[in-house]
Amino acid sequence: MSENKQTALDAMAGDGGYQEAYLGDHLRFKMKRDKKRFWAGDNISEYILDERMKEQLIDEATDAFETVLDRLLIDRETDPNSKGTARRLAKMYFNEIMSGRYEPSPNATAFPNDTQDRYEGMLVVRSELRSMCSHHHQPVVGVAYIGIIAANKLIGLSKYTRIAQWCARRGTLQEELANDIAREIERATGAKDLGVYIQATHGCCESRGIMAHSSLTQTTVLKGAFKDDPGTKKEFFDNIKLQQEFAPR
Ligand SMILES: [Zn+2]
């Protein structure tokens, strides 16, 4: 028995004697029992207690991807390019394209913004996005513009991108992603006035389906003054236009 497998079995101990052959099945059972949603766009990091559990899940996904390749009639025994593909896929899902499901939220230290000379203007941050559609697991590539009117705390500028990327590294829909980013930015900054605008192209429209070369899609989420005050809304979109002039996309 591998060390990872033993750790995984240890993690299951004390759970009413319930034991599954796969750690992944055990965790699914636990999440169902807890009524914890585990859709492609949900974060389930609270169930993955350490790196060794993640390694075990990668081992199990490797076995499953081997079966998928076999069913696709791809010779993974003699084709040198397909030999390690199952493991590469498993690692890529857990550590890269879906890492936002398995890792806890980025630690965004907040700095006070409550002195007399507090910053009261609008802040607009441009964040590169790499995501994946949950319908076809095709890449979604784009950029998010996150605007806030600062509340009593500020977070480091790089944290906006870290939070956006953490939300994006899952299986999502662009509409869902805009909502997720808005919610997490609100949580990290305490700002009630905020906007998220995403512009992205979709692999599932470009590489399959309608094979449209340009599949640019825009989504917007506006809250507080960004939604209710036309001046604030205009300032947000003017800022986006200014950003686009310097970094076209
Ligand atoms: Zn799709």
Side-chain angles (χ1 to χ4, degrees), residues 132-140 172-173 202-205 208:
M132 190 175 83
C133 86
S134 47
H135 293 155
H136 303 92
H137 291 200
Q138 287 292 300
V140 176
T172 62
L173 299 185
H202 291 249
C204 63
C205 299
R208 53 160 300 286

Side-chain angles (χ1 to χ4, degrees), residues 25-240:
D25 285 343
H26 171 73
L27 295 182
R28 278 196 304 122
F29 167 81
K30 258 184 151 172
M31 290 188 284
K32 281 184 184 173
R33 184 193 60 192
D34 299 349
K35 300 200 181 338
K36 158 76 183 171
R37 205 178 76 169
F38 53 103
W39 293 3
D42 290 330
N43 181 279
I44 56 165
S45 58
E46 76 237 55
Y47 287 84
I48 298 168
L49 307 178
D50 55 34
E51 275 305 304
R52 293 215 291 187
M53 265 174 99
K54 194 152 114 187
E55 283 304 316
Q56 174 63 20
L57 292 169
I58 290 171
D59 287 348
E60 292 177 6
T62 300
D63 290 349
F65 277 123
E66 282 177 354
T67 306
V68 171
L69 293 169
D70 291 346
R71 296 295 174 267
L72 290 171
L73 304 176
I74 292 170
D75 182 356
R76 57 183 178 82
E77 281 160 355
T78 63
D79 173 0
N81 298 320
S82 300
K83 260 183 183 170
T85 295
R87 179 145 200 92
R88 279 191 289 272
L89 283 170
K91 284 172 80 172
M92 179 182 73
Y93 269 83
F94 275 93
N95 297 332
E96 293 168 321
I97 57 179
M98 278 209 174
S99 59
R101 302 189 72 235
Y102 310 109
E103 287 167 8
S105 69
N107 179 16
T109 310
F111 304 97
N113 183 43
D114 52 9
T115 54
Q116 233 180 2
D117 57 351
R118 69 193 293 263
Y119 180 71
E120 290 179 324
M122 184 181 291
L123 183 77
V124 179
V125 179
R126 178 185 199 272
S127 300
E128 299 287 334
L129 281 187
R130 296 289 179 273
S131 191
M132 190 175 83
C133 86
S134 47
H135 293 155
H136 303 92
H137 291 200
Q138 287 292 300
V140 176
V141 177
V143 59
Y145 295 92
I146 301 163
I148 66 163
I149 294 173
N152 288 332
K153 54 184 181 175
L154 291 172
I155 57 172
L157 291 179
S158 67
K159 300 298 184 201
Y160 293 91
T161 300
R162 282 193 198 288
I163 291 169
Q165 198 54 43
W166 177 67
C167 293
R169 287 299 210 181
R170 306 175 193 187
T172 62
L173 299 185
Q174 193 176 320
E175 300 88 330
E176 184 186 351
L177 180 56
N179 276 330
D180 287 351
I181 293 174
R183 187 188 60 242
E184 294 302 329
I185 294 292
E186 186 177 350
R187 200 193 312 244
T189 62
K192 296 289 170 209
D193 305 306
L194 64 99
V196 174
Y197 171 78
I198 299 178
Q199 219 176 38
T201 56
H202 291 249
C204 63
C205 299
E206 293 182 345
S207 307
R208 53 160 300 286
I210 58 169
M211 306 270 264
H213 211 62
S214 172
S215 62
L216 199 61
T217 305
Q218 281 123 312
T219 45
T220 312
V221 173
L222 302 172
K223 294 186 176 198
F226 283 66
K227 187 176 169 194
D228 303 326
D229 174 42
T232 306
K233 186 174 174 179
K234 183 176 183 310
E235 188 183 339
F236 179 47
F237 285 102
D238 285 350
N239 266 295
I240 291 172

